[in-house]
Amino acid sequence: VFEVPYSVAFRTITSYIFSSLLSADMYRLRRSLSVQDHLLSLMLEDRGADHLVSSLSMLLNATTVLFDAGGRALSQAQHRVRVRSEHLDRIWEAYVAAAQLETLPREQALDDLRLAFREVRTHGRVHQVLVLVLPLREHLLDFADVALSFAQKLLALEHLKTRAARLLQR
């Protein structure tokens, strides 16, 4: 509840509020599109998954790990949260447990870490798993969720491209 002078039109108030909300939404949209454009540019430069994982980690200011389907860490970039090799096994075990649920949770806690998993799938099969590692006290923001999901799709395209190149060589 707030009080305004009687002479102020209600539509002036609602117009101001609507403009403020629209401005914030536009900022979030521009920011998401900018990150997507940056990640897509990286993939077009053909620097591979390592560079994408590293750039995603820097953009989100979080540790990012890419596993193959067997649980071997293919690439990792560490920011803010240090993940030692023994943690990698536990992170993979947490993914395996989460993957057995009907739907993969958006985020999950593991000790003092918060994990967000994205499966890189092609033809209905998981080929890689992208993991974002945050401190436990932080939650996955919508911005990070969008960037992570976009990187997941780029990695699937990279996998398909590599597979097509191998078939062509054969």
Side-chain angles (χ1 to χ4, degrees), residues 6-122:
Y6 187 74
S7 60
V8 175
F10 186 70
R11 77 172 154 244
T12 304
I13 297 167
T14 57
S15 176
Y16 177 79
I17 292 170
F18 179 73
S19 295
S20 296
L21 292 173
L22 185 60
S23 177
D25 287 344
M26 283 302 291
Y27 171 76
R28 284 192 294 274
L29 177 62
R30 283 189 184 128
R31 186 175 174 205
S32 293
L33 289 174
S34 176
V35 167
Q36 288 178 359
D37 184 57
H38 178 69
L39 294 175
L40 185 56
S41 295
L42 291 175
M43 292 307 284
L44 291 174
E45 290 173 10
D46 207 19
R47 292 190 185 182
D50 285 340
H51 196 64
L52 178 73
V53 167
S54 177
S55 294
L56 183 65
S57 184
M58 285 189 318
L59 284 168
L60 300 178
N61 194 23
T63 295
T64 309
V65 183
L66 180 65
F67 290 98
D68 68 8
R72 185 173 58 94
L74 299 173
S75 178
Q76 63 179 314
Q78 302 202 22
H79 283 272
R80 288 193 308 151
V81 177
R82 296 286 168 218
V83 176
R84 295 185 304 273
S85 57
E86 60 269 13
H87 280 116
L88 292 175
D89 293 334
R90 298 203 51 234
I91 290 171
W92 181 254
E93 290 168 6
Y95 160 72
V96 170
Q100 295 184 9
L101 301 172
E102 204 168 297
T103 58
L104 197 62
R106 182 174 183 247
E107 56 184 279
Q108 176 179 336
L110 175 69
D111 299 333
D112 59 342
L113 304 174
R114 183 163 309 280
L115 310 172
F117 301 108
R118 293 296 179 278
E119 296 176 326
V120 179
R121 291 177 168 267
T122 59

Side-chain angles (χ1 to χ4, degrees), residues 124-142:
R125 206 169 128 228
V126 175
H127 297 282
Q128 297 170 333
V129 177
L130 182 62
V131 184
L132 187 70
V133 183
L134 298 164
L136 183 62
R137 66 187 175 279
E138 294 182 26
H139 288 276
L140 185 66
L141 300 175
D142 286 338

